[in-house]
Amino acid sequence: MVQRCSYVRNLVQSLRAASFPSKLADYRRYTSQAAASVRVASQPSAYSDDEYADVDWDKLGFGLTPADYMYVMRWSKDENFKQGQLRPYANIELSPSAGVLNYGQGLYEGTKANRTEDGRILLFRPDQNAARMRVGAERMCMPSPSIEQFVDAVKQTVFANKRWIPPPGKGSLYVRPVLFGSGPILGLAPAPEYTFLIYASPVRNYFKDGTAPLNLYIDEEFVRASPGGAGGVKTITNYAPVLKAIARAKSRGFSDVLYLDAKNRKYLEEVSSCNIFIVKGNFISTPAANGTILEGVTRKSIIEIARDHGYQVEERAILVDELVDADEVFCTGTAVGVAPVGSITHQNRRIEFKSEGRLVSREVYSTLVGLQTGRIEDKKGWTVEIH
């Protein structure tokens, strides 16, 4: 690892010495340009490795603020995935007939890097993201990086962009690995070439209201996933279809949509971008991952943390009618963390939940964040330190 980080450090320094913009505006400029080959801008950078990027950390939200570098690795029928490259963040070239554009053959992951009070940089369970991508790739008929390749690529990306990791308590560096069919294909078939890339952006709260309790809406017209489909993997095709439901809910003043099962329309599944939990006394329940629900890394972690705290956690089918008896409801996800739910509206009936005082969600979230930021000793081997 020391040799690898030394390699990354030297590469980053050489790229900066060659030419790369030092102002945030220069990075944002890339997002509006036409697709072009990866290139290095002509403005030299004067930042040292130890300086923070020029960001107002107190105003950080969940918008795209591209960090300096991205990681790129490719696969073809003649050559499997091998060591990729760090490149300046920029647009990429893509064939109009690329599999991802024509048939939606793509997956993505999300993980975070945090800066501890004593200056360390920690990743949280990146191997779980790697394993989930491999499962998704198999479902989508795609090759995928090995778990070791995935984790190593995340480490390199984070190390190269470490000045974009917010100060302790000010947010995280969100890391987005993407795997997609980049090769040209006309007939419906797997693409002949694939690209694995990782980019990063500093973020803070996912919802615009920050840590305020969410107000969810159950939309019975739309479903997120169907039995036999791909709802259980993180394919890109699961997300655009929910945009209409989200837009409609937000126009009515709600935070997001809670979806029911496609077959019976009476069991809870998940929210657009996160899993859901309900609390009744000492029991915590979450919908079972049965192929239509994404097995979130945060979901998996919260289940174990809650059990460590003495709660009885069940993964089971949850009837929508059970909401009226719930003491507390909360959502989990890499982007949202652990978010309390203040209310859920179903068939014009608003059901309210406890969102103040001693909350189970706050208790388990405190432990989760403590592990992610190094404030709590990691006895589970969940965190990965980048030197």
Side-chain angles (χ1 to χ4, degrees):
M1 185 63 216
V2 173
Q3 290 179 336
R4 174 56 54 83
C5 287
S6 176
Y7 159 76
V8 175
R9 183 185 295 107
N10 293 336
L11 176 58
V12 169
Q13 290 175 342
S14 65
L15 283 170
R16 286 176 175 161
S19 54
F20 194 73
S22 60
K23 300 299 181 182
L24 182 58
D26 290 320
Y27 304 128
R28 288 175 174 160
R29 170 171 54 84
Y30 285 122
T31 63
S32 63
Q33 293 176 329
S37 298
V38 175
R39 57 200 178 279
V40 181
S42 59
Q43 179 70 28
S45 173
Y47 289 109
S48 72
D49 283 344
D50 297 324
E51 288 181 304
Y52 283 109
D54 184 16
V55 175
D56 187 342
W57 304 112
D58 292 322
K59 294 182 178 180
L60 196 61
F62 203 87
L64 178 64
T65 305
D68 295 336
Y69 302 102
M70 64 183 188
Y71 181 96
V72 181
M73 182 166 58
R74 292 190 169 88
W75 180 98
S76 69
K77 292 181 178 179
D78 299 323
E79 188 172 53
N80 290 331
F81 284 118
K82 62 178 185 179
Q83 179 62 45
Q85 294 180 329
L86 282 169
R87 298 180 178 181
Y89 178 89
N91 291 334
I92 60 173
E93 282 190 348
L94 198 60
S95 168
S97 57
V100 66
L101 295 181
N102 291 264
Y103 300 116
Q105 199 181 21
L107 298 161
Y108 80 88
E109 280 295 329
T111 187
K112 288 179 178 178
N114 290 284
R115 194 183 299 269
T116 68
E117 292 288 352
D118 58 4
R120 292 176 295 141
I121 297 172
L122 298 180
L123 297 173
F124 187 73
R125 309 190 77 176
D127 60 312
Q128 297 298 304
N129 297 95
R132 186 170 64 180
M133 176 169 276
R134 289 184 64 80
V135 172
E138 193 279 330
R139 174 66 178 84
M140 302 296 288
C141 295
M142 304 166 69
S144 63
S146 67
I147 292 177
E148 293 76 15
Q149 286 175 318
F150 182 105
V151 173
D152 183 65
V154 170
K155 288 180 179 179
Q156 289 191 50
T157 305
V158 170
F159 188 84
N161 293 302
K162 64 180 181 178
R163 71 192 189 98
W164 294 89
I165 304 175
K170 299 291 185 179
S172 308
L173 183 69
Y174 184 85
V175 183
R176 171 63 64 83
V178 186
L179 175 66
F180 58 92
S182 50
I185 190 76
L186 183 59
L188 181 56
E193 299 170 6
Y194 294 86
T195 297
F196 173 71
L197 64 81
I198 305 176
Y199 64 92
S201 174
V203 298
R204 201 165 188 178
N205 295 319
Y206 181 78
F207 292 102
K208 67 176 182 178
D209 294 327
T211 57
L214 306 179
N215 296 304
L216 302 179
Y217 176 73
I218 295 178
D219 194 322
E220 294 189 323
E221 178 181 354
F222 299 104
V223 296
R224 178 190 168 274
S226 301
V233 298
K234 207 168 177 63
T235 170
I236 60 175
T237 54
N238 285 338
Y239 294 88
V242 304
L243 296 178
K244 186 172 183 178
I246 294 174
R248 186 160 69 178
K250 289 187 175 181
S251 71
R252 298 172 179 174
F254 297 102
S255 308
D256 209 329
V257 177
L258 172 58
Y259 299 91
L260 302 180
D261 71 293
K263 183 178 180 180
N264 301 295
R265 295 292 211 281
K266 65 179 183 180
Y267 294 102
L268 303 183
E269 293 242 306
E270 61 180 284
V271 182
S272 303
S273 58
C274 46
N275 298 116
I276 193 161
F277 289 74
I278 66 171
V279 181
K280 181 65 178 177
N282 197 54
F283 290 86
I284 301 176
S285 301
T286 189
N290 55 8
T292 60
I293 296 171
L294 186 68
E295 296 190 61
V297 176
T298 306
R299 171 186 179 274
K300 184 176 183 178
S301 304
I302 288 299
I303 288 173
E304 188 166 337
I305 288 171
R307 286 172 175 159
D308 290 344
H309 281 248
Y311 295 99
Q312 296 187 51
V313 184
E314 299 177 314
E315 298 178 68
R316 62 178 178 86
I318 302 174
L319 287 166
V320 65
D321 293 341
E322 294 184 51
L323 290 173
V324 297
D325 296 320
D327 299 327
E328 185 182 340
V329 175
F330 61 90
C331 296
T332 66
T334 298
V336 306
V338 178
V341 175
S343 72
I344 296 177
T345 298
H346 178 225
Q347 296 179 340
N348 296 319
R349 180 185 183 185
R350 181 184 173 97
I351 307 168
E352 297 189 346
F353 309 101
K354 180 180 179 182
S355 59
E356 296 180 355
R358 182 183 179 276
L359 299 175
V360 173
S361 60
R362 191 171 295 161
E363 180 183 348
V364 295
Y365 183 52
S366 178
T367 299
L368 176 70
V369 173
L371 290 168
Q372 292 173 330
T373 59
R375 295 198 306 270
I376 295 177
E377 182 184 359
D378 177 19
K379 297 180 180 180
K380 297 178 178 293
W382 285 355
T383 57
V384 177
E385 183 174 350
I386 298 179
H387 300 282

